[in-house]
Structure formats: C-alpha cells, structure tokens
Amino acid sequence: MKRIFTIALATVFAANLSARVNSTNGNSHSLPAQKYTPTTKLQSDEYMQNTLIIKVLPEFREKCTNEMINIPSVVDFFTMVGMDNLKKIYPNHKAPLTPLNKWGAPMIDLTLIYEVHFTSGINMESAIGKLYNQGFFEFVEPHYIPKIDFTPNDPKSANNTTNNGQYHLYKTACAGTGTTGWDISTGSTSTTIGIVDTGTELTHSDLMNQIQHNLADPIGGGDNDGDGYIDNYNGWDVAMNDNDPTWQGNAHGVAVSGDADEQCNNSVGACGTGYNCRFLPVKIADASGALTASYEGITYAADHGCSVINCSWGGLGGGAYGQGIIDYATNNQDALVICAAGNNGNDEEFFPAAYDKVLSVAATTSTDAIAGFTNYNYTVDICSPGNNINATWTSNSYAQNSGTSMASPVCAGIAAIVRSYFPTYNALQVAQRLKNTADNIYAIAPNNQAIYVDKLGTGRVNLYRALTDPNGPSIIYSNITYNDMNDQTFVANDTLRITGDFTNYLGAATNLNATLSVVVGGTYVTIQDGTTNVGALATMGVANHNADPFKVKILPTAPVNQQIVFKLTMVDGTYSVNQYFSVIVNVDYINITVNDVWTTITSKGLIGYNTTGQLQGLGFDYLNAGSLMYESSLMIGSTAANTNDMVRGAVAGNTDADFASFNAVRQTIPAIVSDFDVDGRFKDNVSTTPLPVTVHHKAFAWSTAPHRKYVIVKYTILNTGASSISNLYAGIFSDWDIDAATYGLNRTGFDASLRMGYAFCTNASGKYCGIKLLTTSAPVNHYAIDNVTGGAGGMDITDGYSQAEKYTSMSTSRVVAGATGGGADICDVVSSGPFTVAANDSIVVAFALIAGDDLTDLQASAADAQVMWDGIPTGYVTVENVGSAIINAFPNPTSGSTEIQYNIAEAGYSEIRILDATGRLVRTLGAGDKSKGNYSVQLETANLTEGMYLIQLLTEKGTITRKLIVSK
C-alpha cells in the first residue's frame, strides 16, 4: 500500500519511492521503497555511528556464518575500517522453502542480514559505497534509530475530551448510541496485536489480563518451545535480549498498549479499541529509552503470532532493511503492520509508515480536523483520533497523550477486530477494508484546504462500517515501470511508456477503467495516451496493460530534475480511487552504455555519479561487472588558492560543489562524431573563489571494435573574464576501486609515451583502468595518491583534499601509489598544463577514459583512442549555427547507393564531403558555387567498406555533419 513513486534511474543505491493510492473511498499499495537515504540528510542522532546494516546476496550464502563473512575482500575491508563486532541479526531464522507465498508475493530471507560495527573514522557514505561496490551485498545502509513523539497531558470511557473521556471510541464507531462496531464484534482473544515499543507495565490492572502469554514457554529457566528465547512468556525485550518487556527510560509503550488494548468492560479505567483481542509486548528500547532494535522487534512480533503489529515510532531515514522487514512480516507471516505517520506537522515521508505494505496513520482531533502536529502526505493511508487520547500510564494510572503515536494503536485495535471478523482476509485485504470504509473528512475545516487533498488517506477509520459495509472493489496499481525506448535516462522529447499491474484485493470489478493525469509539472509533459481499459477483475485478480501503455512526452521546457507527479484515477461503476506516483524527468546526467565501458556524464563536471554517495549514475563499469570507480571529477585550477572541482573537500567528509550546470548534458541525436554523442555546458560560479570560466564539454563513445573500451571526454574551457588566466591546469581526479571487492589492493602506473595514468588490481586477473590525455597543446602531468592515513610518502587526503593539494596534484608528478605489499586504496590525477588563456579565448583539453583486461589491452585501446581523437573533424557545428540549412541521406543505413539531400540557406560555395570514422576524407561531391535552394547528390557505396562514415555539408556559414552507416 504506498507512496509516491519517484525514480532516479541508474542509482547504485536505488532511490525508488513507491506508489500511493488515496481518495474518498480509495485504497493503496506500493512499490519498493528506497534502498538508501544518504546520511547527510539526517541528523547524527538519527542513525548509529560507525554501524552498518548489510545483507549478503544469496549466492554467497556458503561464505557466511553467524559471526563472519568469509570473503577475503570483505575481511580486508573489515580489517581496514577496524571492525570490532559483526553479527547476524537473525541467527535462528531459516531461509524460506518457497520463493512465493500463497498469494504470489515474494518470501523474504532474513538469514543473511548482519550488523557490523567499526572503529575507524571513515566517512559513512564512503564506507557504504566501498562495501556495496564489492558486489556481494543486496544492500548496505546505516542502522537508523527511529524516535517516538507524543505529548503527555493527564487522568476513562465517557464520550468527551476531558481527562475522564475517551471520545475516540465514539468517533471511530466502536461505541455509542445505536448499533456500533462493538455490537457487531468485539474481536477474538486469539487475535494478537504486537505492541513494538519501549515496553509496557506488566502489572497494570487494565493491561495484565490482555497480554497474550506464551503458554508454551512458562517461566522456568529454559526454552521450552525451542524458539531460541528463554522464558518469553510475557513477550520479549529485543533491545536488551531478555524476557522482561517492562518499560525503561521512556513509558511511551505503556500508553500505546492501552490505546490499542486496555481491558474493556471490567469497571476499571478505560477501554482499548481492540476490546477482546490480546497484545504482545515487544520492547525495542535500551535502558535509556532509545529505540535500538526497532525492526528486529517487528520480526519478533511477526514470528510470534501477531496478526496486527503497531509501530508508534519512526524517522526520516528509510532503507532497504526496513522495507525488507515489512515485506517479511506481510508476505512471510501475514501480519498487518500499522505505523504512525509522524509528528513533524509537515508534508513529508516518515519511515516505517511510508514503506510499502504499511498502513500509515495520521492523527485527527475530536472534531475530525487534522491534528496540528501530524504529518500529511500521499503516503498516509488513513486517519485516526490522536489528540488527547486517554489510556494507561505508569504506576497503574491513566493519562491523556497526543500524537500519531496514539492514532496508530487506536487504529491497530480496530484492525485486530476486523481481522477477527474476516478470518479469511490476508493482511493487505484487512488494510484495504479499513481504507474502503473510512469516513470522508475532507469537507471539514481545515482538511478542506488544497494542501491536504488526498494527503489524509481515505478518511477517518470507522469500525462499524469496516464490519458491515458491502464489499466493493479495491484496486491497486503496482509494479510500475517506465520505458523511453532508448537509454532509460528521461530527457526532453523522450516519450515515456508507463505500465504496471492492477490488483483487486476485495470485491469483483466488472469494468475497470484507468485514466492518467498530472498534478505536479503538468506544463512540462504532454499525455499522449492516458487511458486504458482493464475490464473485469476478480478478487485477488491481477491484470497488466503492457499492450496498451500510458504514453507521456517530456517537453523541452522541462527544468532540470523536474518531478512529475501523476494521478491515476481508477473507476468501476460507483467505485473510484486515486493513486499517485511520480518520476524525475530531464535529469542532468546521461548514461552511456553503447560499448564495453558504461559510465555517466553529468552536467556539472562529475564523471560516473551525479551526486556524492555514489547516487544517480553508473560509475565506471567494464563488462557489466560493477563500478570500478568511487568518484571522479574535472578539476580546474590556476593557483593553490583557486582550484575548483566537485569531489571531496578540504574537510574530511565534505564535498566541494564548485561547478553549476549552464546547459544540461544531452545526447546529440543523430550522433555526429561517434555512436553516442553527449553535449553540455557548466561554469565555475558557485565556489568561494570562482574562476571566470565556462566549460563546454562533450563525450563520445563507439560501439564497434577496436573502440569499445573507452569513452572520450572533451572540455573546451572559455575564459569569460576581462584578463588572462595564467598557470591554468585542467585534469581529472578519480578515486579508483578497481575490482571493488579488492579495492584495497590497487596500484597505479604511468605510461609516458601514451600520456596515460592507470590503475589496476594486483589480484590475479585484476582489471585495469586508465585516463589518457589526448590533446597535445600542453604537457601531461600524473600524480598518484595513496588514499591511506599518512599518504604513504605522498599527500594525505584522508583528512581532507584542500585546494592547495589539488593544485599540487595537477602541477607536480608522483608516478606510483599502492607500491608496497599487495597495493592500497588509491586515487589518480591526470592533467594538462600550464596554460595561459587570454580573455574571451579558450583551450581544449580531452581525455580518454579506458578499461581493459590487462596493461597490454589498456595500451592498445589508448592508442586506438588517440587515432580516433586525431581523426575527429574539428570544424563541425550544429545545424543551429548554419541558419536553416539541412542535410539528410536516404536510405541510411545503406548497402548500395544513397541519395544525399541538402538545402543551401544562402548563396555561395558549398560541397558534400564523405569522411571515414577516423575523419579521413574519402570523397567530395557537388562542389561549387550554388544559389539558395534544394540540392541532391547520389553516393555510390560499392567501393566503401562496411562501417560508419560522416557526411559533411560545407557552406560559407559553417559545416553540418551527419552520420551514415554502410552495411554489406
């Protein structure tokens, strides 16, 4: 059930947010949640310092024990970062026996999830990236610490808001005049609510009889039921690994226990909404009250029979581990996880509430108005009273508390009764039933404000309606995919084809129709086909529309990294539901995947990745084996105090962001120089000491041998200042992680004859990567860096990479890093200079980014790259620079003759030139003076070899180049 689905393609840590349904009678379901939220977005107290949660890929299972991952490179990494504790989080679990549950959802394997703690000061993002890039892990992420958030007031079941009242029982139709929910069902003692929280008060007179005791393991000093927990009769303290779930440090869990399930009809205190249902206390807090074992608590509750699990806690950090635990509870154990939407009072996602398959609960007041503290968002599924909720408190007392922490268990108690009443429903069907039957509260002020539209779920929960309303359809659109039919980088003029699955969780649909519209960014896209007919859909039926996709064209006016939020309206008779999902378009980076080297070119000088933390990009991938690069960027500097770039800064853990996009990179279609041309501009105007330069950068890649193992990047650096720039150097910094599994065993070298710095892994069959200077207008410089404390005799950049050090690494040489032992973690800088650039003048610096199987292979590709660079025509311009002149060839590709049609915009000399792929002139056609008008010439290709050629139209206004393919 969930979220807006935002996609930023080609991220190492997939940052996918999921789909969301909301309407006055809507439902929700979702797609995978984000795998990793960069720690820079979080406060330091929102995750455990020096601690990671990792999951090993199943193909490496035999290398894993409870306390070790016996993969040499992983062991080397752990040694390097000072690992002092590694443990399986779920040592007693077994891998699922079947891949899918009975409803077709994937079963989740918890057996390969570890927590690792290290002692070194390595940056968290760096540690995550370097470990993840080894290729052995499904995810690597911080250990997030969620928080609770509620406001205590002070002391039962009257319909009022005073300190004696429990208005929420009446507002949710549990109790009241006439027939109410409890008149239909009060739930079953066999239905258990897991209260995953700070602990409870076992001796409270209104709680003690509601606890679901583990009768198979009475207190006696042994593990009678063999579940791995000794004497877990009263529940379990997961954080402190003992059998006493009594609260410590924070009594939050006492109130939450009562909100959901304090004993009813006992002439004592107050009533929980769950009435006859029972609760299992699962303590996830340490002695101070910090929630150190939150997701482990969900797992315990799911494993021990809880069909509803309440989580009145969370935070802004969400990762793959948390989503995996939710999936495990839902898919493997058929437990419905209900979570508080958060108390930040903002339109934002809050985890675990925002995860897929969670029922997310926002808070309302006694008048059904949105509570001022609650979060609201497309991720919210439903509302529940959460203001001044009277329930159990410490020392056998009662108190009023406010927060989504209260709203969530109020809803959880109701969900438990619904599960009791509909025993054949699975967890997600119960969630959809609650959402389908909620009361519409959008007409109530301030809920009727535009900012809340569809962001309070489907309304306020109603137990009576959930038990008695007729059963209608409940449709969810999931597994959403986007396809632009080319490079999967969604830019201007691309047409997105959007498809997904329609799943019906409840009553049969007879003629389902879906219509797509845009609620954010509508002026930047055009919906070309926004309707599809699904037709009839039975309960738990699934249908896709792959044969009839939605089609959306991205317009040239779309700003860079523009979010487009779609609304999908699904209608079947009187049933109507809205679902929201989104995509990022006009991204300011381009993925190049046409040859054996896959990489990403960005709009701001970065290579491989568009952001820090190895996000938004392919890195530098050779033969689809994973990225061999951690980070890379162009560097430009004229002095030790004025060198700018986009990589690590002078303070360890910080990143310089000195360049800004001027024209976002775009693929040039049709390609002029290579099989994949990229073009863009950026400028140095955001650094603290900006250089007056604008950089026009291009990239070229070829798909035919022997040019498949490199990508060429060309930088034209224009001095936009009023005076000359002297002693200018330009180069590429790269932190290589060659064969990421053994990046600590890397070494560098320098081939002076080829003007190439290179790096390689010292392991047998280790791959090679190189940066070769192609231009000859200034000398090459190479500086190798040992990325280790002390610098191994060179500069030490582990404590920061200052402007002075960057300028030094571009203007002085150091041949070898990783020279001793088996190698080291290394970085490399290949640059050119010094240049003197006059005002309004420019220089060109070009490099080949190369990969190979060994040094000989690398050197051969370096030589091929130089030949290709030397043959690239230097005079071509785009059609925009030649007025209205045009040139085309038909047919193209051709195996015989082709007709070249061209237009002369202004009278004067013109000619058609045919060049081969190296830029060598092959033939001249139609040369001479011509008047303005249309012309054509015939090109016979019988004497041309198979391959790529360039057709150039030369005029007095400039040159236009087009590509021609000759195939035999």
Side-chain angles (χ1 to χ4, degrees), residues 581-857:
F581 55 95
S582 76
V583 63
I584 302 297
V585 303
N586 209 21
V587 294
D588 59 345
Y589 60 94
I590 292 286
N591 298 325
I592 300 178
T593 59
V594 298
N595 61 22
D596 295 335
V597 174
W598 289 12
T599 193
T600 297
I601 303 299
T602 76
S603 295
K604 45 188 178 287
L606 285 163
I607 299 170
Y609 299 107
N610 196 40
T611 68
T612 59
Q614 296 183 299
L615 296 170
Q616 298 180 0
L618 303 175
F620 192 75
D621 187 336
Y622 175 53
L623 296 175
N624 200 25
S627 180
L628 307 179
M629 168 195 293
Y630 180 72
E631 64 174 339
S632 184
S633 170
L634 176 71
M635 297 197 303
I636 306 173
S638 60
T639 69
N642 201 359
T643 296
N644 297 315
D645 57 85
M646 296 292 291
V647 293
R648 64 196 69 184
V651 178
N654 289 354
T655 300
D656 286 344
D658 299 329
F659 301 144
S661 174
F662 187 73
N663 295 119
V665 290
R666 290 292 180 265
Q667 182 183 1
T668 303
I669 300 175
I672 296 171
V673 173
S674 68
D675 295 319
F676 197 98
D677 292 4
V678 173
D679 189 287
R681 287 177 171 84
F682 59 88
K683 53 189 176 181
D684 181 0
N685 69 344
V686 292
S687 61
T688 54
T689 55
L691 286 162
V693 298
T694 295
V695 181
H696 184 187
H697 62 135
K698 295 177 178 287
F700 312 111
W702 290 264
S703 58
T704 55
H707 305 292
R708 292 184 55 83
K709 297 187 178 184
Y710 64 83
V711 173
I712 287 177
V713 288
K714 172 189 176 183
Y715 302 100
T716 302
I717 302 171
L718 173 66
N719 178 4
T720 59
S723 58
S724 294
I725 303 175
S726 302
N727 298 313
L728 183 75
Y729 286 84
I732 294 178
F733 167 92
S734 185
D735 180 348
W736 293 113
D737 287 346
I738 310 295
D739 293 346
T742 51
Y743 75 92
L745 300 176
N746 284 187
R747 185 170 294 158
T748 68
F750 179 63
D751 188 318
S753 64
L754 288 171
R755 290 173 293 160
M756 176 176 66
Y758 60 89
F760 61 99
C761 179
T762 60
N763 276 350
S765 302
K767 300 294 188 293
Y768 279 66
C769 292
I771 301 176
K772 170 183 165 48
L773 178 67
L774 295 167
T775 46
T776 58
S777 52
V780 66
N781 187 75
H782 171 253
Y783 194 98
I785 302 172
D786 284 275
N787 192 20
V788 298
T789 302
M795 67 176 61
D796 182 1
I797 67 171
T798 61
D799 58 354
Y801 192 20
S802 68
Q803 289 193 61
E805 289 173 322
K806 290 172 181 178
Y807 190 75
T808 297
S809 64
M810 285 197 294
S811 57
T812 64
S813 65
R814 184 173 187 252
V815 175
V816 180
T820 60
D825 184 10
I826 56 92
C827 302
D828 213 33
V829 178
V830 177
S831 59
S832 184
F835 296 94
T836 297
V837 189
N840 297 314
D841 199 3
S842 63
I843 60 167
V844 175
V845 182
F847 304 89
L849 313 176
I850 316 169
D853 298 324
D854 49 41
L855 182 57
T856 300
D857 190 27

Side-chain angles (χ1 to χ4, degrees), residues 90-112:
Y90 303 105
N92 297 323
H93 279 68
K94 299 183 184 302
L97 297 178
T98 59
L100 302 175
N101 66 16
K102 63 182 179 180
W103 297 287
M107 299 284 275
I108 307 303
D109 183 3
L110 303 182
T111 63
L112 297 174

Side-chain angles (χ1 to χ4, degrees), residues 55-108:
K55 184 175 183 180
V56 181
L57 291 168
E59 53 263 41
F60 304 106
R61 183 183 303 277
E62 71 280 0
K63 304 290 186 181
C64 299
T65 66
N66 283 354
E67 297 180 349
M68 182 52 65
I69 301 171
N70 293 306
I71 300 173
S73 61
V74 176
V75 174
D76 290 344
F77 174 85
F78 288 159
T79 300
M80 190 159 50
V81 299
M83 185 271 289
D84 61 351
N85 187 37
L86 176 74
K87 64 177 182 181
K88 268 191 178 181
I89 297 179
Y90 303 105
N92 297 323
H93 279 68
K94 299 183 184 302
L97 297 178
T98 59
L100 302 175
N101 66 16
K102 63 182 179 180
W103 297 287
M107 299 284 275
I108 307 303

